[in-house]
């Protein structure tokens, strides 16, 4: 626990008045217009440098040559089937990643759009598993100012004009707009899920402007947090002597990212509907009030043949500050041609008196009601529980967003203020803690309604899945994706209803889409399905990373799950339910493992899957095929540890009973890896754990520590559930294994990497106490003497942290005892962001506050600070000691929430009964009648623990 002011050797504060004048902050300090005291900040004219990706050494490339050839062949094979391989290091994005990210838009699991700190809308993830990184530059906010007498006029896009193509002469598109903002006096302030952009006298020296971006990310709210919508509140303060007419403009292209807006066939029509695939619908809106007038332009184009051109649209706004009111009654427009981009616009105009203030509010919503996986089935998204699956839902979403955003902000502030106002915590930690949550929106998340898949008739009967759930009146699948856009005005009347909307236009885009269900789905589809559960909050998926396209990668979720458990515990429990069912599931379809070219089955019963799949999640698991993960040594212990932590933290006995058979099965499965009967599992001389390029021999500090912790957690859970025999079994193994672990690995200062004889067996691994981290997080008894734990942590701090650029980069994974980085493989020489956060959490749990925050601040310095490498809102899996990244926008850095867990453990954990592994062991004469009335022993297998709840899938 934090007991005093903490040392942090970097910049001590990032206060708003260091970026914005104090006078401006005071002027904007009404209706939430001023940025908060604690936030991540940048000037809009900051350089967005191209990020540098890691590269392998010659020896690493040589050792991985055969793997690389097999992977290249697999990537090509998947591409020939129209699919993207889960791991594809060969195909690079045309748009190179830059240090330009900002707070993403929307809630969780309904498709996301990111917004850069300079205002560009980018990183489109509307389609599951697909990320279009390039910004759509027609999507902008702009401002037009005319003061009394018309002598002073200003117009500009509210983003710095630094992108390709703006210098074109005679252009009819967005290059013809006024890109007059330099960004020198404009600043961005991020505190997820909100962001503020302050324009301090740009473009009008006498007008202060604040744009506040708000998304409905509200912990423990499983309704609002699922909504695909965002609100932009503009606060205007006139410091001049003349009255000013101010018109704000929102323009939006008919696009879901990439080159989709160039495909042609787009057209605008009020409330257009389709009979095949439900449309993806965008709605843009503005609030009309007594002081604010809203007008729209239903459609304009960037080429000028069949529509009002972007240049003409801009000229109208410069001259009149608004569009014609008759546009609300506009009919369908001419379909766009290939290569043209169809857009729409909404404006909000107001007069601001001298020294007066005014607010204008815009809303954006998108509706993609169905989630369709390439080889699998189609599901409804979570938000359709509340808004339905029609194309009109985007209209209702944006309408409600404009009415509810102040309530969202109240709830967000209630959640954040106790942390932000804690003077004992470093400033950088406060806002980085919240900003790392960006991944739960921008990490490719999918949140379904939890109901059965939607089965639509396919062209081939063989590809039907879950026949029993098919709806009679669903139409055949079309090879089209319909994308609509409606441009709205809404009134500020609190009694507003749907008739108060003006919906002048919708824009449709056609794009390729795949068939619904693959041929294998029928065999497994209902196995892992949950339905008719009164506590059903849906099912949740998030990617390992946008470059590693696998859902809920479990060895990484082990680190990231603290965020979900703390903020959305019901989602965390649904994920654990999914994996518990998967443990008892078997899929005998053959898979080629790329590391050595061997063949095996996709999913072995008793093993915890690496992931829930890629193209058919829940039904075709283990998309990862580098290694046979049924032989990994960390997945099963991690499952047991997470289940116990979640069980203890929530106190949910029904959850504990439900998953207990899987816990028993997962523990029993691991017995095969104790080959010498000493109670400890052994690694098998290949990278058989989350460090999947780092070979392990014999007993390892990482997996061995996890195994000891899992034995203790399983024993504790068994006692809670009344399975005394299983508790006794785990205690006996623990007491047998612990002295072996210490004798084989403890060297007086830390635990050796492994018990083998390789050149790196004595390496200092930053993550060697992962099992103790979970043990302490669950308030179980420590695995080792406190002096050994603290000595180990101190050694890691002195070597892995402080010997790498003075502790300014995080903890390197491997360090040799001579103080040189372990370069035996790619991963040993990397600094993993999430592992550094988890290490810091372990330090906090053992009273090493100074070391903890110094360690974690290295990730802030390297990734988020102005002197760092530019990884804000795209924190990678890791970087090398020279700052080159691997795998941007990655799940594991959510482990920063393990630090907050260590600082403020939940009440249920604090009050949970303590378990003593040295208690007198039970004997075989135990009276089984002492079991409680839940009769857990009848459902928990004693030996094999697989029971009859095993399913087979064969090709």
């Amino acid at each position: 626990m934090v007991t005093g002011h903490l040392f942090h050797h970097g910049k001590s504060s990032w206060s708003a008045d260091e970026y914005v004048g104090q006078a401006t902050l005071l002027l904007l300090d009404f209706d939430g217009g001023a940025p908060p005291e604690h936030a991540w900040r940048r000037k809009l004219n900051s350089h967005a440098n191209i990020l540098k990706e890691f590269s392998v050494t010659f020896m690493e490339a040589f050792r991985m040559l055969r793997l690389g050839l097999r992977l290249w062949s697999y990537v090509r094979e998947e591409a020939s089937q129209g699919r993207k391989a889960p791991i594809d290091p060969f195909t690079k994005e045309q748009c190179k990643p830059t240090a330009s990210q900002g707070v993403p838009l929307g809630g969780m699991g309904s498709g996301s759009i990111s917004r850069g700190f300079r205002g560009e809308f980018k990183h489109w993830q509307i389609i599951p598993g697909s990320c279009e990184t390039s910004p759509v530059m027609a999507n902008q906010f702009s401002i037009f100012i005319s003061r009394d007498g018309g002598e002073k006029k200003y117009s500009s896009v509210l983003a710095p004009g630094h992108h390709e193509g703006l210098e074109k002469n005679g252009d009819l598109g967005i290059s013809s707009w006024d890109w007059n903002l330099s960004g020198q006096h404009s600043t961005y302030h991020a505190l997820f899920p909100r962001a503020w952009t302050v324009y301090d006298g740009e473009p009008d020296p006498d007008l202060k402007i604040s744009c506040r971006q708000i998304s409905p990310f509200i912990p423990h709210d499983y309704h609002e947090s699922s909504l695909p919508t965002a609100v932009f509140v503009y606060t205007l303060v006139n410091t001049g002597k003349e009255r000013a007419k101010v018109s704000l403009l929102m323009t939006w292209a008919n696009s879901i990212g990439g080159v989709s807006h160039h495909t042609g066939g787009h057209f605008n029509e009020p409330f257009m509907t389709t009979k095949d695939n439900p449309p993806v619908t965008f709605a843009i809106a503005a609030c009309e009030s007594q002081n604010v007038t809203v007008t729209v332009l239903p459609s304009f184009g960037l080429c000028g043949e069949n529509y009002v051109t972007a240049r003409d649209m801009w000229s109208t706004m410069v001259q009149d500050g608004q569009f014609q009111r008759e546009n609300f009654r506009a009919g369908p427009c001419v379909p766009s041609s290939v290569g043209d981009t169809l857009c729409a616009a909404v404006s909000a105009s107001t007069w601001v008196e001298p020294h007066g203030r005014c607010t204008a509010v815009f809303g954006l919503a998108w509706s993609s009601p169905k989630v369709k996986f390439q080889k699998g089935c189609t599901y409804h998204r979570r938000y359709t529980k509340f808004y339905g699956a029609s194309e009109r839902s985007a209209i209702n979403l944006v309408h409600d967003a404009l009415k509810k955003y102040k309530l969202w902000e109240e709830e967000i502030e209630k959640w954040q203020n106790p942390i932000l106002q804690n003077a004992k915590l470093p400033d950088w930690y406060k806002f980085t803690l919240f900003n790392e949550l960006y991944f739960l929106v921008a990490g490719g998340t999918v949140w379904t309604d939890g109901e059965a898949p939607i089965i639509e008739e396919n062209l081939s009967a063989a590809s039907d899945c879950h026949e029993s759930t098919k709806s009679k009146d669903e139409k055949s699948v079309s090879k089209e994706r319909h994308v609509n856009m409606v441009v709205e005005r809404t009134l500020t009347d609190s009694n507003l209803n749907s008739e108060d909307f003006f919906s002048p236009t919708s824009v449709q885009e056609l794009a390729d889409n795949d068939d619904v269900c693959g041929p294998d789905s029928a065999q497994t589809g209902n196995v892992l399905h949950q339905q008719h559960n009164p506590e059903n909050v849906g099912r949740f998926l998030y990617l390992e990373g946008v470059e590693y396209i696998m859902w809920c990668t479990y060895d990484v979720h082990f680190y990231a799950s603290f965020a979900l458990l703390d903020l959305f515990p019901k989602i965390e429990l649904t994920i654990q339910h999914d994996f518990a069912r998967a443990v008892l599931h078997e899929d005998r379809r053959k898979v080629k493992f790329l590391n050595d070219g061997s063949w095996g089955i996709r999913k072995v019963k008793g093993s915890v899957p690496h992931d829930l799949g890629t193209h058919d999640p829940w039904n075709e698991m283990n998309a990862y095929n580098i290694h046979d993960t049924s032989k990994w040594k960390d997945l099963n212990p991690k499952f047991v540890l997470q289940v116990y932590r979640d069980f203890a933290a929530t106190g949910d006995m029904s959850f504990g009973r439900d998953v207990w058979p899987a816990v028993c099965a997962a523990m029993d499965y691991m017995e095969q890896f104790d080959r010498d009967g000493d109670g400890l599992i052994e690694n098998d001389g290949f990278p058989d754990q989350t460090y999947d390029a780092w070979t392990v021999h014999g007993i390892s500090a990482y997996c061995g520590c996890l195994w000891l912790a899992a034995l203790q957690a399983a024993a504790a859970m068994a006692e809670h559930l009344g399975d005394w025999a299983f508790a006794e079994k785990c205690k006996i193994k623990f007491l047998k294994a612990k002295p072996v672990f210490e004798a084989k690995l403890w060297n007086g200062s830390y635990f050796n990497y492994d018990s083998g004889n390789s050149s790196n067996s004595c390496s200092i691994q930053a993550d060697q106490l992962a099992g103790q981290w979970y043990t302490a997080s669950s308030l179980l008894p420590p695995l080792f003497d406190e002096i050994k734990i603290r000595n180990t942590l101190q050694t890691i701090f002195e070597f892995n942290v402080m010997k790498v650029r003075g502790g300014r980069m995080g903890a390197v994974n491997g360090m040799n005892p001579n103080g040189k980085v372990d370069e035996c493989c790619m991963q040993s020489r990397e600094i993993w962001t999430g592992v550094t956060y988890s290490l810091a959490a372990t330090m906090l749990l053992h009273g090493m506050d100074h070391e903890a925050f110094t360690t974690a601040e290295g990730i802030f310095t390297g990734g988020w600070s102005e002197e760092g490498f530019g990884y804000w809102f795209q924190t990678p899996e890791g970087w090398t000691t020279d700052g080159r990244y691997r795998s941007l926008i990655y799940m594991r850095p959510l482990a920063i929430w393990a630090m907050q867990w260590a600082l403020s453990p939940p009440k249920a954990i604090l009050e949970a009964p303590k378990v003593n592994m040295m208690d007198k062991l039970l004997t075989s004469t135990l009276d089984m009648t002492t079991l409680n009335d839940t009769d857990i022993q009848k459902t928990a297998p004693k030996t094999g623990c697989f029971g009859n709840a095993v399913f087979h899938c064969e090709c």
Side-chain angles (χ1 to χ4, degrees):
M1 306 295 288
V2 175
T3 56
H5 289 274
L6 297 164
F7 170 83
H8 44 288
H9 55 261
K11 186 176 178 181
S12 60
S13 70
W14 286 261
S15 59
D17 58 9
E18 294 182 40
Y19 291 79
V20 184
Q22 188 64 42
T24 299
L25 291 174
L26 292 173
L27 289 170
L28 293 172
D29 191 19
F30 81 100
D31 195 28
E37 179 182 358
H38 304 286
W40 178 88
R41 312 183 200 277
R42 281 295 177 278
K43 286 187 175 293
L44 264 60
N45 66 344
S46 298
H47 178 61
N49 57 292
I50 295 176
L51 304 179
K52 296 180 180 179
E53 191 172 8
F54 86 109
S55 59
V56 297
T57 66
F58 174 80
M59 287 304 299
E60 289 168 351
F62 180 77
R63 287 194 294 265
M64 295 190 292
L65 179 60
R66 291 179 180 177
L67 167 61
L69 291 173
R70 294 187 192 104
L71 181 57
W72 178 74
S73 177
Y74 174 67
V75 168
R76 291 191 63 187
E77 179 184 347
E78 287 293 286
S80 70
Q81 301 295 320
R83 299 189 294 265
K84 185 174 176 62
I87 300 175
D88 178 7
F90 309 106
T91 306
K92 301 299 182 182
E93 293 284 349
Q94 291 184 350
C95 180
K96 294 183 178 180
T98 62
S100 60
Q101 292 290 82
V103 175
L105 306 174
M108 299 188 298
S110 297
S112 70
I113 307 166
S114 291
R115 192 172 185 227
F117 74 87
R118 296 184 299 185
E120 65 273 27
F121 294 87
K122 57 197 296 183
H123 272 259
W124 302 72
Q125 296 186 81
I126 305 299
I127 300 172
S130 173
C131 181
E132 297 288 354
T133 59
S134 299
V136 177
M137 293 305 295
N139 296 350
Q140 298 289 348
F141 285 100
S142 304
I143 194 165
F144 304 85
I145 307 159
S146 177
R147 294 193 173 267
D148 271 353
E151 295 181 2
K152 295 181 181 179
K153 283 192 173 185
Y154 306 90
S155 60
S156 181
V157 178
L158 288 175
H162 307 305
H163 69 94
E164 296 179 3
L166 289 183
E167 294 80 16
K168 294 179 181 178
N169 293 322
D171 186 16
L172 301 178
I174 63 173
S175 298
S176 63
W177 297 353
D178 298 324
W179 298 80
N180 295 327
L181 199 78
S182 71
Q184 182 179 357
H185 302 291
S186 301
T187 52
Y188 181 82
H189 311 256
L191 186 64
F192 179 89
R194 297 189 292 174
W196 292 253
T197 306
V198 175
Y199 307 89
D200 192 358
E202 287 190 278
D204 182 345
D206 293 326
L207 187 68
K208 311 298 183 183
I209 308 166
S210 169
C211 172
R212 187 164 85 259
Q213 171 188 313
I214 310 153
S215 292
F217 184 97
I218 304 168
H220 307 285
D221 189 329
Y222 298 88
H223 176 166
E224 301 296 321
S225 298
S226 72
L227 304 183
T229 186
V231 171
F232 305 87
V233 181
Y234 277 86
T235 301
L236 309 172
V237 180
N238 183 6
T239 61
K241 298 180 180 179
E242 308 96 358
R243 196 168 65 135
K245 181 181 181 181
V246 181
S247 298
L248 290 160
L249 176 71
M250 183 180 188
T251 51
W252 199 260
N254 173 20
S255 174
I256 55 173
V259 296
S260 58
H261 48 289
H262 289 155
T263 55
H266 306 188
F267 58 94
N268 297 359
E269 183 179 5
F271 299 109
M272 191 198 68
T273 62
T274 59
K275 294 183 179 180
D276 295 325
N277 260 5
V280 177
T281 306
F282 289 93
I284 57 176
C287 273
E288 185 166 84
S289 66
Q290 182 177 0
N291 299 320
V292 178
T293 301
V294 174
T295 58
V296 301
L297 183 63
S299 59
F300 67 91
L302 302 186
C303 292
E305 294 185 3
N306 299 309
Y307 313 100
V308 174
T309 67
R311 184 174 64 182
D312 291 341
M313 180 279 297
W314 190 266
S315 297
T316 298
M317 287 299 300
V318 170
Q319 180 176 338
D320 302 329
Q322 61 186 38
F323 303 113
Q324 295 181 359
R325 300 284 289 185
E326 291 76 13
N327 289 345
F328 284 112
R329 296 188 292 273
C333 70
V334 178
S336 65
S337 303
V338 174
D340 195 8
T341 301
L342 190 59
C343 309
V346 58
S347 77
S349 303
T350 185
W351 284 94
V352 187
E353 299 297 326
H355 308 293
R357 301 170 176 177
C358 189
T359 299
V361 187
F362 292 83
L364 167 68
W366 55 97
S367 176
S368 177
K370 292 184 180 181
V371 182
K372 178 184 260 188
F373 296 101
Q374 285 185 297
K375 289 172 65 178
C377 294
T378 301
Y379 303 85
H380 276 131
R381 295 191 191 264
R382 167 74 174 167
Y383 78 88
T384 62
K385 281 272 190 182
F386 318 112
Y387 285 88
S390 79
E391 66 282 353
R392 188 178 174 83
S393 60
I395 301 172
N396 297 328
L397 280 160
V398 78
H399 163 253
D400 289 352
L402 292 173
K403 291 179 64 177
K404 291 182 177 180
Y405 75 88
K406 290 186 178 180
L407 297 176
W408 296 346
E409 290 192 284
E410 289 178 9
E411 294 302 314
I412 291 168
E413 289 172 4
K414 286 179 187 177
W415 159 47
Q416 293 183 336
N417 281 344
I419 295 172
L420 297 176
Q421 295 171 2
N422 187 343
K424 298 176 181 178
L425 297 172
D427 282 357
W428 68 264
Y429 170 79
K430 296 175 184 179
F431 56 78
T432 307
L433 177 72
F434 294 113
N435 285 337
E436 288 284 18
L437 290 171
Y438 84 92
F439 188 84
L440 291 177
V441 172
T445 53
V446 170
W447 193 356
T448 76
D449 62 1
E451 302 299 329
I454 308 155
I455 310 307
E456 300 175 277
E457 295 178 6
N458 204 341
L459 300 178
S460 169
S463 61
D464 288 343
C465 66
H466 321 303
E467 278 292 333
S468 61
T469 64
K470 184 172 290 187
S471 172
K472 297 179 181 179
D473 55 355
E474 287 179 329
K475 306 299 181 181
S476 61
V477 176
S478 167
K479 285 283 187 178
E480 299 175 339
R481 175 173 290 275
H482 300 272
V483 179
N484 299 337
M485 183 166 66
V486 291
V487 190
E488 302 279 342
R489 76 168 182 179
T490 180
L491 309 180
T492 56
D493 185 353
S494 60
N495 297 317
L496 185 69
N497 56 46
S498 59
E499 285 72 23
D500 294 316
F501 274 100
F502 294 83
S503 302
T505 183
S506 55
V507 184
Q508 183 185 65
E509 175 193 75
L510 308 181
D512 288 341
N513 206 356
D514 292 323
D515 295 334
V516 175
C517 295
D520 301 315
S521 300
Q523 303 175 66
T524 60
N526 290 322
V527 171
L528 304 179
H529 176 62
Q530 61 177 36
Q531 51 184 320
H532 308 304
N533 181 353
E535 295 297 322
N536 179 16
V537 296
R539 303 180 82 179
F540 191 84
L541 299 169
Y542 64 149
L543 292 174
E544 179 178 338
V546 297
E547 298 176 33
Y548 295 163
I549 309 172
M550 294 165 283
W551 300 111
C552 295
T553 299
Y554 201 73
D555 56 306
V556 184
H557 179 69
F558 176 74
Y559 298 83
S561 58
F562 282 88
L564 284 174
L565 180 58
D566 199 3
L567 306 177
F568 298 95
K570 292 180 181 179
I571 288 179
E572 167 64 9
L573 295 189
T574 65
I575 293 175
Q576 300 296 17
H577 271 293
D578 284 340
F579 277 92
R581 285 188 287 268
V583 168
L584 304 177
H585 168 68
E586 185 162 276
D587 184 345
R588 300 193 64 83
R589 286 174 286 187
K590 297 295 183 180
V591 174
K592 183 177 182 179
F593 300 113
L594 304 180
N595 186 62
D596 58 7
S598 64
W599 288 80
I601 66 173
R602 179 172 290 279
K603 169 64 178 65
V604 177
K605 67 182 180 181
S607 66
V608 173
H610 172 273
D611 55 79
L612 292 178
T614 291
H615 299 305
D616 189 9
W618 299 300
N619 302 318
E620 186 180 88
M621 291 170 284
N622 280 334
Y624 177 91
N625 61 350
I626 304 295
H627 299 289
D628 180 356
T629 58
S630 69
K631 299 177 182 178
W632 276 18
K633 310 308 184 293
D634 64 335
L635 288 169
N636 283 39
K638 285 176 175 176
F639 170 72
V640 175
L641 287 169
Q642 288 185 75
V643 163
Y644 178 75
R645 178 204 58 189
D646 297 353
F647 172 64
T650 62
D652 189 333
M653 290 297 292
S654 63
F655 166 73
R657 298 185 192 107
D658 288 346
V659 301
W660 181 241
V663 171
C664 293
M667 292 298 292
D668 285 349
Y669 181 87
M670 296 300 292
E671 290 185 1
Q672 64 184 299
F673 303 121
D674 177 13
R675 296 183 175 86
D676 57 7
D678 63 359
L680 271 178
I681 59 172
E682 287 89 40
N683 294 84
D684 285 330
F686 75 99
D688 49 357
Q689 25 73 47
T690 193
Y691 298 90
D692 58 352
W694 199 354
T695 298
V696 198
H697 299 273
I699 297 169
S700 73
Y702 183 68
C703 294
C705 188
L706 288 171
W707 174 241
L708 290 177
L711 286 169
Q712 185 169 244
M717 190 168 181
E719 291 191 353
H720 283 304
L721 295 174
D723 191 343
W724 309 111
F726 199 83
E728 178 185 16
K729 176 181 174 181
C730 292
K731 287 183 178 184
I732 291 173
K733 285 187 178 180
F734 176 86
L735 296 174
K736 185 178 181 180
K738 176 183 172 181
V740 177
F741 180 88
E742 293 184 302
K744 292 287 184 72
L745 298 180
W746 179 250
N747 63 21
S749 298
Y750 62 94
F751 295 97
N752 289 335
Y753 176 69
D754 64 27
S755 63
N757 297 313
S758 65
S759 60
N760 70 310
S761 289
C762 292
S763 181
I764 307 166
Q765 185 180 13
D767 211 4
Q768 61 185 277
L769 289 180
Q772 175 56 33
W773 165 40
Y774 255 71
T775 294
S777 296
S778 303
L779 287 192
L780 289 169
L783 299 178
F784 316 108
D785 294 339
E786 185 66 20
I787 187 66
K788 287 184 178 178
I789 295 171
R790 289 180 65 95
N791 280 350
T792 300
L793 292 172
Q794 188 64 37
T795 300
I796 295 170
F797 178 71
E798 292 175 0
F799 281 76
N800 301 60
V801 177
M802 297 308 296
K803 288 187 181 298
V804 180
R805 298 206 178 182
R808 305 287 285 166
M809 294 190 71
V812 69
N813 284 337
M815 178 68 76
N816 289 311
N818 62 6
K820 294 183 179 180
V821 172
D822 182 349
E823 297 188 347
C824 69
C825 72
M826 172 182 75
Q827 292 174 339
S828 65
R829 62 184 173 89
E830 289 181 325
I831 294 161
W832 283 10
T833 54
V835 168
T836 299
Y837 285 142
S838 69
L839 171 62
T842 311
M843 291 171 171
L844 287 172
L845 289 163
H846 291 279
M848 301 173 66
D849 295 355
H850 162 76
E851 292 84 353
F853 281 95
T854 301
T855 297
E857 189 177 2
I859 301 303
F860 169 78
T861 302
W864 292 82
S865 73
E866 289 188 85
E867 63 191 88
F869 307 113
Y871 298 137
W872 45 83
F873 299 103
Q874 51 189 331
T875 314
E877 158 74 309
W879 49 68
T880 56
T881 55
D882 60 353
R884 294 177 177 268
Y885 75 88
R886 182 168 63 82
S887 188
L888 293 171
I889 311 182
Y890 197 78
M891 180 198 294
R892 206 181 319 247
L894 285 170
I896 192 173
W897 279 86
M899 295 180 65
Q900 190 59 29
W901 185 275
L903 293 167
S904 302
K907 184 178 180 181
I909 286 282
L910 293 172
E911 296 178 353
K914 302 300 181 286
V915 175
N916 185 353
M917 295 301 289
M918 298 304 294
D919 282 344
K920 182 179 178 180
L921 298 176
L922 299 175
T923 66
S924 58
T925 58
L926 172 71
D927 182 3
M928 298 309 294
T929 60
T930 59
L931 295 176
N932 59 30
D933 57 5
T934 61
D935 205 13
I936 193 69
Q937 189 66 28
K938 293 182 180 179
T939 62
K942 296 179 182 178
T943 54
C945 283
F946 301 123
N948 296 318
V950 178
F951 301 87
H952 298 271
C953 181
E954 298 180 347
C955 290

